[in-house]
Amino acid sequence: METIKASTDISLLFSQGTRFSTSCITLLAIQVDDQHDPVGRVAFIAGKKLGNAVWRNMAKRRMRSICHELGGPWDGYHIVFLAKASLMNQEYSKVLHACQKLLRRMMEEMAD
């Protein structure tokens, strides 16, 4: 899985990316030029304000699993999965379904 590691790339997503939210996850997405960087990349962020290291690691593992199950990373898109406080309180299947709907909406809106 190709991940976004550079802080400049993540800053670009926060400043220019489009936000899509559910009650437990926010996606920040930007469409990239297929010829310049055709491979889609992802990042997983769980902030320190939300919990201790154990909680943050569990949240990132859950987001990585969801991304993998939904077929990510997606070519032509750089996406940040941003955890919210309720991520670990909801059932995995509900979070997965919500992310699936969110990704579908994101692809539709960004394709226009």
Side-chain angles (χ1 to χ4, degrees):
M1 182 179 300
E2 289 286 325
T3 58
I4 302 169
K5 295 180 179 150
S7 62
T8 55
D9 292 341
I10 291 177
S11 296
L12 178 73
L13 274 158
F14 271 92
S15 65
Q16 296 181 9
T18 307
R19 286 181 181 261
F20 300 90
S21 294
T22 67
S23 61
C24 55
I25 287 182
T26 296
L27 296 182
L28 298 168
I30 193 166
Q31 204 163 11
V32 292
D33 183 11
D34 289 342
Q35 293 175 351
H36 178 260
D37 191 6
V39 178
R41 296 187 299 156
V42 292
F44 306 96
I45 299 174
K48 286 186 176 183
K49 291 180 185 177
L50 299 177
N52 61 16
V54 173
W55 186 93
R56 293 192 312 270
N57 288 337
M58 286 175 28
K60 286 190 258 185
R61 276 196 302 271
R62 179 173 271 200
M63 290 187 293
R64 280 188 203 103
S65 176
I66 287 169
C67 178
H68 180 73
E69 278 197 49
L70 295 177
W74 299 269
D75 289 343
Y77 295 96
H78 290 180
I79 300 173
V80 171
F81 285 74
L82 186 60
K84 290 186 178 179
S86 63
L87 176 65
M88 299 308 293
N89 297 336
Q90 295 187 14
E91 291 180 28
Y92 180 81
S93 60
K94 289 183 180 181
V95 175
L96 179 65
H97 182 68
C99 285
Q100 186 176 26
K101 286 175 31 179
L102 194 62
L103 278 167
R104 194 175 313 124
R105 191 178 104 214
M106 180 203 76
M107 298 286 185
E108 289 170 0
E109 287 185 24
M110 294 187 85
D112 294 338

